[in-house]
């Protein structure tokens, strides 16, 4: 039996000839009617079930985890998900947070187990927190060609242009957190990106110093951004050849598949941390379900 005791987990039981963990009956779980086996540890005399070891332990609605994830990544709002699946909207929020924790772990595991990408691109997607006076910047880094999302981070930024003065009077000074958030993201990804990778970005003035600091051996190539489209998805530009296609297409997919990032929507982000959670859930869904599987 490959089950290890969760209470005395330093487990010398695995290889020994006398089994320390034995079967101990079973029970039928009320929420989904599944029969769950119970076990007993002969060493510490504790009993536990297969559910104790499950990531969904203590969840009453584990059967909605997958549908909630699919809908969150298919341009459906949280309130509409609650209506469709017939659960409370607070349950949807709870599921979002659970799925985000799982997604962040999966993203990290995949990044450390797959080959290091030698061509990556990153850019910022601008969205808002409740009002246009409180903009947010989402830095997304993707692998070139495959469009696999490697990581992302959300930062508060001050309003610019005509709204800057209005925003200051209404909401006071708003700190620009972009530098710190990019530092967090790139520190995490230093081990993921190949040592001498090519990093492609647009000509945003802050990028060169940032790349130089976190990826000193990488080659940084910048490209002039095309004029953004008047209608439709701003990230998708009508050009013959877009050298930043992978990142632009990915950002357009974020806009199309995450309800709160739609353009001209009345569904907006109220909390930046929840936006981050939603984006993480989407990133894993994007990598696992939406991208073409590599042909082996
Ligand atoms: Zn034990």
């Amino acid at each position: 039996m490959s089950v290890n005791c969760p209470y005395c987990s330093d487990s010398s039981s695995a290889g020994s000839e006398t089994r320390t963990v034995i079967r101990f009956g079973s029970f039928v779980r009320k929420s989904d009617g599944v029969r769950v086996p119970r076990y007993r540890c002969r060493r510490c005399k504790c009993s536990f079930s297969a559910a104790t070891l499950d990531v969904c332990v203590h969840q009453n609605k584990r059967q909605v985890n997958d549908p909630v994830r699919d809908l969150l990544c298919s341009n459906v709002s949280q309130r509409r998900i609650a209506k469709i699946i017939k659960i409370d909207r607070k349950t949807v929020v709870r599921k979002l947070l659970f799925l985000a924790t799982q997604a962040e772990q999966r993203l990290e595991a995949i990044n450390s187990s797959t080959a290091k990408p030698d061509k990556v691109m990153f850019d910022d997607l601008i969205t808002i927190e409740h009002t246009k006076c409180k903009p947010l910047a989402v830095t997304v880094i993707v692998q070139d060609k495959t469009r696999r999302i490697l990581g992302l981070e959300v930062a508060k930024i001050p309003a610019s242009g005509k709204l800057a003065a209005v925003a200051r009077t209404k909401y006071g000074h708003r700190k620009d957190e972009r530098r710190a958030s990019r530092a967090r993201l790139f520190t995490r990804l230093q081990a993921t990106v190949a040592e001498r990778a090519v990093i492609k970005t647009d000509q945003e003035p802050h990028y060169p110093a940032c790349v130089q600091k976190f990826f000193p051996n990488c080659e940084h190539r910048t490209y002039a951004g095309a004029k953004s489209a008047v209608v439709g998805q701003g990230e998708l530009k009508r050009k013959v050849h877009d050298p930043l296609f992978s990142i632009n297409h990915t950002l357009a997919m974020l806009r199309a598949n995450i309800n709160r990032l739609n353009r001209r929507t009345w569904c907006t982000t109220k909390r930046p941390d929840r936006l981050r959670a939603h984006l993480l859930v989407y990133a894993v869904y994007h990598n696992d379900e939406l991208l073409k599987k590599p042909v082996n």
Side-chain angles (χ1 to χ4, degrees), residues 4-10 13 20-21 40-48:
N4 287 335
C5 173
Y7 301 106
C8 47
S9 54
D10 60 325
S13 61
T20 44
V21 175
R40 186 165 187 262
C41 174
R42 288 206 280 208
R43 189 162 26 168
C44 67
K45 307 281 185 260
C46 288
S47 71
F48 55 94

Side-chain angles (χ1 to χ4, degrees), residues 121-134:
M121 296 180 180
F122 71 87
D123 200 4
D124 288 356
L125 174 143
I126 306 298
T127 181
I128 56 167
E129 175 187 352
H130 176 57
T131 151
K132 279 191 170 178
C133 291
K134 295 179 176 178

Side-chain angles (χ1 to χ4, degrees), residues 230-283:
V230 181
V231 288
Q233 309 293 340
E235 280 79 17
L236 269 195
K237 278 108 188 179
R238 206 178 284 252
K239 279 177 86 178
V240 183
H241 172 73
D242 183 2
L244 300 173
F245 175 79
S246 294
I247 182 70
N248 285 333
H249 193 273
T250 307
L251 297 187
M253 279 182 85
L254 292 181
R255 293 241 187 249
N257 292 313
I258 299 177
N259 192 280
R260 57 172 96 203
L261 296 182
N262 289 176
R263 290 185 178 278
R264 293 171 190 274
T265 178
W266 63 3
C267 170
T268 61
T269 291
K270 309 294 185 300
R271 287 178 54 169
D273 57 331
R274 300 290 162 85
L275 169 64
R276 183 175 183 274
H278 200 157
L279 285 163
L280 283 168
V281 175
Y282 176 78

